[in-house]
Amino acid sequence: MGRKLRVGMVGGGGPANFFGGPHRRGILIDNSAELTAGALRSNPEEAIASAKELHFARGYGDWQTMIDEESKRDDGIDYVTIVTPNDAHFGPAEAAAKAGMGVLCEKPLVMNLDEARRLQQAVNASGVPFVVAYTYTAFPMVMMARAMVADGKVGEVRKVEAWYPQGWLASNREATADAAGQKQASWRVDPKKSGASGCGGDIGTHAYEFVRYVAGLTATKVQARLKTFVPGRALDDDFTVLAELDNGGIATITASQVTIGAQNDNGFRIVGTEGTLEWSITDHNNLKYLRGGEPVQVYRLGGMYTYFPSTITPFIRVPEGHPEGFHEAMANLHRCLEWQIRAKLGEDAPEHMHLPGIADGVAGMAFIEAAVRSAQQEGAWVDVESVG
C-alpha cells in the first residue's frame, strides 16, 4: 500500500458539533490516512482557527476555496468528508466530485430528490468513489446479515422490520440553555437546514437503509404517518411507515426522537420463507439466525471466526471477545472509500464488501419524499419514485 491518503473535511469544527469528532477518529484509526485540509466552520476566521486547533495541515475559510486550492496542489486531498447540516451537503459534494475527489457525505444525502439526482449525475460523470455515511451498515455483523440474505439463508424475504428510536428530543431541547444540545436540536427541526422531514431524514433513513442494504430490496409504495409531538416544531419528531417492496414483500420502518429512554437502539429483523435474521445496536457484536424448530444460532464478531466471507474480514480488526463499535464502523466507511480510491490509483486493495454509495443516498431521498407526501394525504398510499 502506498502513501497515506490526504483527507479534507467540511464542517465538524464547532464546539457543539457532534459528527466531526467521530469522523476524525475514524479517519485516523487505521493509520492509512491523515487530516490534511479543513473548512470546518461557517465563519472563515473560526474555520481556520479550528483547523489549526484540530491539527489539520491546512485550514481554509470556506469549502469553495479549499476544493479549488487543493485541486491545484500536487499534494492535494484525495477525498472530502462532509459533516455539515443537510443544507450544506450538496455544494461541496458536487464541487469535490467535479474536481475528481472522492466524497464521504453524511446522511441524508442532500435536501431533496432534485438535488440528489443532480449530485448523482456529477458523481457518475466524474466516476469518483462516493460513500454515504449510513454508519450502521458498516458494523461487520450487519455486513454478515447482508451476505447471509444474498446467500439464501432466509429464503425469499417476506417482511423487513427496521427501527430507530431515540429520546433526546422528547422535550423542546432546541429552546434550552444547553449550547451543544440546543445547536444539535435546532438545525434538525428547521426545514431550511434539515429538509422536508426531521426525524425521518435524520434517522428514518438509517432504518430504511437496512431494507436496501441488508435485504437488498426497495420500497415501491409507502403509507406514512409523520407526527410532531412537541409543540412549536415545524418538522416531525416521530416517523412511521408501512412499505410495499419490489419483491412483493412488506416492510415497517419506524423512527422516533421522543422515545424516552431509548439509546439509539436501532436494528432490523429480516423475515424470510426459510428463516429470520435479527440484529440490534444494543447487541451489535451478535447476529441471531432463527429457523423453525431449531435452536437459535448466534454469529459473533471476531477476527478468528472462519464463517465470515473474505469480503468482510478486512473490516475486522481484533480477535473475538474484543468489541468493535461505533468508531470502528465509522472507520470502516472511510476504509471502504479509501480502498476504492487506492484501486483507482493502481494500488493493491483488498476485495471488500462495498458500503452504501450515491445510489443509496438518492434512494433514501426518494423514500423520504414519498413518506412526506403520504403523510400530507393522511396516510394515503403513495408511489416511491424509481431512481434506478
Side-chain angles (χ1 to χ4, degrees):
M1 190 171 290
R3 61 170 174 82
K4 290 184 178 181
L5 292 194
R6 296 181 285 265
V7 185
M9 181 172 283
V10 178
N17 181 277
F18 168 64
F19 270 111
H23 274 285
R24 287 190 291 275
R25 297 178 201 112
I27 290 164
L28 298 174
I29 277 178
D30 293 300
N31 198 34
S32 58
E34 57 190 11
L35 304 173
T36 302
L40 305 181
R41 303 194 67 177
S42 56
N43 178 287
E45 292 182 357
E46 293 176 350
I48 293 171
S50 183
K52 182 177 180 180
E53 178 184 357
L54 294 169
H55 307 291
F56 282 76
R58 298 184 284 274
Y60 295 91
D62 58 78
W63 62 261
Q64 295 97 328
T65 303
M66 183 185 81
I67 292 173
D68 183 54
E69 291 298 319
E70 291 293 317
S71 66
K72 300 173 184 176
R73 300 179 64 107
D74 292 336
D75 61 348
I77 55 178
D78 297 291
Y79 74 90
V80 175
T81 302
I82 301 169
V83 292
T84 62
N86 307 344
D87 66 317
H89 287 183
F90 176 79
E94 182 188 47
K98 288 183 175 181
M101 300 171 182
V103 179
L104 196 155
C105 184
E106 266 298 333
K107 40 67 14 219
L109 182 64
V110 284
M111 290 286 280
N112 53 59
L113 184 56
D114 178 64
E115 280 190 350
R117 288 186 181 280
R118 288 161 52 200
L119 179 56
Q120 186 177 33
Q121 289 176 353
V123 172
N124 290 346
S126 65
V128 298
F130 196 106
V131 170
V132 181
Y134 291 114
T135 308
Y136 304 99
T137 64
F139 280 79
M141 302 318 296
V142 176
M143 299 186 210
M144 183 68 177
R146 171 184 167 96
M148 292 176 70
V149 171
D151 197 38
K153 296 296 186 184
V154 301
E156 181 182 357
V157 175
R158 290 171 167 168
K159 183 178 183 180
V160 180
E161 300 169 16
W163 58 87
Y164 196 148
Q166 299 174 333
W168 73 294
L169 292 180
S171 61
N172 191 8
R173 190 165 186 177
E174 58 269 29
T176 67
D178 170 15
Q182 190 276 341
K183 187 168 184 178
Q184 287 296 309
S186 61
W187 75 259
R188 284 176 167 82
V189 300
D190 181 355
K192 294 180 180 179
K193 290 188 172 296
S194 192
S197 173
C199 178
D202 194 29
I203 58 175
T205 49
H206 276 301
Y208 178 57
E209 188 58 23
F210 288 142
V211 177
R212 286 181 51 82
Y213 188 75
V214 181
L217 300 172
T218 296
T220 57
K221 292 184 178 181
V222 296
Q223 186 180 53
R225 290 288 186 176
L226 278 61
K227 295 287 290 184
T228 305
F229 285 105
V230 176
R233 281 191 180 144
L235 293 175
D236 54 287
D237 49 31
D238 194 85
F239 181 87
T240 302
V241 176
L242 175 65
E244 291 187 2
L245 303 177
D246 55 352
N247 74 333
I250 61 171
T252 57
I253 300 122
T254 61
S256 176
Q257 293 170 319
V258 298
T259 304
I260 294 172
Q263 295 182 299
N264 288 282
D265 44 350
N266 64 91
F268 58 82
R269 183 177 294 113
I270 313 294
V271 181
T273 55
E274 303 295 329
T276 296
L277 288 167
E278 294 182 5
W279 180 87
S280 171
I281 189 66
T282 56
D283 189 25
H284 59 78
N285 286 326
N286 296 317
L287 173 67
K288 295 179 181 177
Y289 178 44
L290 303 92
R291 291 174 57 86
E294 298 182 11
V296 176
Q297 296 182 42
V298 179
Y299 289 80
R300 300 191 296 185
L301 178 62
M304 301 294 287
Y305 293 130
T306 59
Y307 44 68
F308 286 100
S310 61
T311 54
I312 297 177
T313 53
F315 293 104
I316 303 173
R317 295 169 178 81
V318 293
E320 57 274 11
H322 301 281
E324 297 190 58
F326 183 76
H327 284 100
E328 288 83 0
M330 193 72 72
N332 287 342
L333 293 172
H334 287 274
R335 292 232 79 180
C336 180
L337 186 66
E338 176 192 333
W339 288 330
Q340 293 178 64
I341 291 171
R342 291 192 184 280
K344 287 180 69 68
L345 292 172
E347 298 179 17
D348 290 335
E351 291 293 327
H352 64 280
M353 185 174 288
H354 280 222
L355 293 169
I358 184 67
D360 299 278
V362 176
M365 295 309 307
F367 168 72
I368 290 298
E369 290 202 357
V372 170
R373 291 198 306 272
S374 173
Q376 291 170 341
Q377 299 174 43
E378 299 297 322
W381 282 103
V382 168
D383 290 338
V384 179
E385 190 167 340
S386 175
V387 294

